[in-house]
Structure formats: structure tokens, C-alpha cells
Amino acid sequence: MQMSLDELIESAARRIRRYTPGEVAASDAAIVDIRSQDARERDGVIPGAHHIPRTVLEWRLASDDWRNTALDGRSLILSATTATRRSSPQPRSSSSAATPATSRRGAGMGPPD
């Protein structure tokens, strides 16, 4: 039986690890802010975070030509603005974990324009 869109979203949401600000501060992982420039201007920047917009994330982490080598081999915590359809129309800030940057190779797309 095929999953509905709501079931697919719920399944994906269960696999996201959310961190408290204290957990992030205690971690030696690199923080990657994937919010748009507009969101950063509206809501402020995260001190010490690497800004990589979501639209180019794969290239900056996995591409030999375009990757940010400062993130090679590091565990990453991604920070994004998300909205939950059912619970609230207001965006909320969240952070989630990713694997070390060098473990993802071959994103399968070309470099950004």
C-alpha cells in the first residue's frame, strides 16, 4: 500500500534528530545554516555558523569542484526554518543532524548556476 503525503512527512519527521541550544553549544559539530538570505536578514544570523542555502547544500558538501572544504570530515548540525502544517502556521527554528560531510559523494547533479 502506498503512503499518503501526510504519512510520508510523518515518517521523515520521526528520523530527524532535534537539538537544544545547549546540545548544539556542547557539540564540536559544524553548524550549517541552510536558511535563505531573506530569512537570515529577517531573523538574524547564527554566530559561527556556515551559511549554505538549501538550494546548493549537496554541491557545497559533496562536489569536488564546489564543496566547502572547511566542512570535510566534520559532523554537521543543519539549522533551518520549518513550518508544521497541522500544528502551527508560524515557522519555527530547528536544528537537525547530518552525517560527516565527506561521507556524501556524488550528489548526482551539476554545480549551481
Side-chain angles (χ1 to χ4, degrees):
M1 185 172 159
Q2 188 172 1
M3 290 171 117
S4 71
L5 180 57
D6 284 338
E7 291 168 332
L8 184 62
I9 291 170
E10 287 172 14
S11 174
R14 284 191 299 271
R15 292 180 290 179
I16 295 173
R17 163 81 158 86
R18 302 215 185 260
Y19 290 87
T20 66
E23 290 172 320
V24 172
S27 170
D28 48 345
I31 300 169
V32 178
D33 185 351
I34 63 172
R35 296 176 297 155
S36 68
Q37 186 61 33
D38 289 344
R40 288 168 39 95
E41 289 172 4
R42 181 187 64 238
D43 301 328
V45 299
I46 300 168
H50 298 267
H51 179 232
I52 302 176
R54 174 60 196 98
T55 56
V56 296
L57 183 64
E58 289 82 1
W59 290 296
R60 298 297 185 256
L61 297 180
S63 164
D64 287 334
D65 296 326
W66 295 91
R67 81 173 189 271
N68 181 336
T69 57
L71 300 175
D72 282 355
R74 299 206 46 203
S75 292
L76 307 175
I77 295 175
L78 304 181
S79 180
T81 300
T82 61
T84 303
R85 283 189 305 179
R86 283 187 227 128
S87 63
S88 172
Q90 296 297 320
R92 69 182 193 282
S93 181
S94 67
S95 296
S96 59
T99 58
T102 55
S103 70
R104 290 185 303 276
R105 291 276 176 221
M109 297 187 221
D113 293 329

